[in-house]
């Protein structure tokens, strides 16, 4: 598909996992894609793969928690690919621990990457969206926003992403910019594999245990998230804004 060959998307946290899958999907949809991540090798490899398939992409290393780096990265994407009008705020980290063991650094790091990072990225990209009078913002939340043991910081950040999304929808709607949040459940990625290792469980057993609690009886894949992101950034989703969509294989509150 080449729905919008002239449109440019930015995906943060695109070095691996969900971000890499979303970047690849948007490229196949016809978007030029800026892949941003702290992992420079990951995004450069991802961008090279997209170019090898005939697409347009650039990989840029940055810390989304640093305003100067964010401004420089978005400017580079705009200069090399064109005005970015699609933004996928996917960059995230975990620093899991029970509350009484959680350090201030654990708290600040997680909220900084998810919330401050998404704020900084959106503030830069909306300049192009409002000028073009068209835009799509997709923020990654999580089922952890509903509460999850050992993730007070991550849960707070992911719940914050939902409030952030709804406010963006209100403020930017008049510019034909929509904002929605995807809240994944269990997705098989390096991050969930690390969680399995941390609790002393094999990844296969960890996935099997999770799948047994999911109505569709399987865990999710990064492609499941990419499929929804592809729709939400399309023209067909232009009347959907301010929504939180749980992609978890079953209903969530």
């Amino acid at each position: 598909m080449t729905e919008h060959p002239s449109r440019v998307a930015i995906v943060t946290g695109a070095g691996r996992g969900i971000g890499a899958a979303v970047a690849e999907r948007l490229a196949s949809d016809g978007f030029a894609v800026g892949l941003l991540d702290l992992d420079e090798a990951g995004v450069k490899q991802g961008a090279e793969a997209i170019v090898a398939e005939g697409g347009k992409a650039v990989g840029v290393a940055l810390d989304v928690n640093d305003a100067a780096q964010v401004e420089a990265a978005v400017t580079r994407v705009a200069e090399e690919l064109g005005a970015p009008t699609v933004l996928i705020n996917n960059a995230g980290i975990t620093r899991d621990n029970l509350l009484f063991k959680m350090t201030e650094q654990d708290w600040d790091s997680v909220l900084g990457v998810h919330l401050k990072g998404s704020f900084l990225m959106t503030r830069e990209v909306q300049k192009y969206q409002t000028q073009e009078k068209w835009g799509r913002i997709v923020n990654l939340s999580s089922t952890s926003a509903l509460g999850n043991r050992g993730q007070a910081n991550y849960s707070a950040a992911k719940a914050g992403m939902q409030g952030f999304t709804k406010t963006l929808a209100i403020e930017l709607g008049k510019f034909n910019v929509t904002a929605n949040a995807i809240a994944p459940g269990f997705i098989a990625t390096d991050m969930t594999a690390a969680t399995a290792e941390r609790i002393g469980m094999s990844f296969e057993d960890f996935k099997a245990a999770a799948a047994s609690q999911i109505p569709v009886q399987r865990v999710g894949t990064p492609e499941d998230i990419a499929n929804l992101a592809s729709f939400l950034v399309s023209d067909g989703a232009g009347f959907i804004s301010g929504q939180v969509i749980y992609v978890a294989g079953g209903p969530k509150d």
Side-chain angles (χ1 to χ4, degrees), residues 25-148:
R25 175 57 188 268
L26 295 188
S28 72
D29 288 344
F31 289 90
V33 184
L35 293 80
L36 277 55
D37 200 299
L38 199 59
D39 176 9
E40 184 173 16
V43 289
K44 288 194 171 181
Q45 183 177 355
E48 288 169 0
I50 289 171
V51 172
E53 290 293 319
K56 294 182 179 180
V58 60
V60 184
L62 89 164
D63 176 357
V64 295
N65 205 14
D66 185 298
Q69 291 186 40
V70 167
E71 181 179 4
V74 173
T75 297
R76 181 178 167 190
V77 171
E79 290 174 348
E80 295 193 21
L81 300 177
T85 53
V86 168
L87 173 62
I88 313 294
N89 280 313
N90 168 72
I93 61 171
T94 55
R95 296 291 185 270
D96 297 350
N97 228 325
L98 294 174
L99 183 65
F100 77 97
K101 295 181 180 179
M102 188 173 289
T103 67
E104 288 185 51
Q105 184 61 40
D106 291 337
W107 179 270
D108 290 344
S109 296
V110 170
L111 268 71
V113 172
H114 289 90
L115 292 178
K116 184 179 177 183
S118 294
F119 157 67
L120 292 174
M121 287 298 309
T122 305
R123 189 175 64 176
E124 284 302 311
V125 173
Q126 62 84 32
K127 298 174 184 177
Y128 298 92
Q129 294 173 325
T130 54
Q131 184 175 356
E132 297 292 323
K133 298 294 190 292
W134 189 92
R136 298 284 186 266
I137 299 166
V138 178
N139 296 320
L140 269 292
S141 180
S142 169
T143 55
S144 292
L146 304 173
N148 196 32

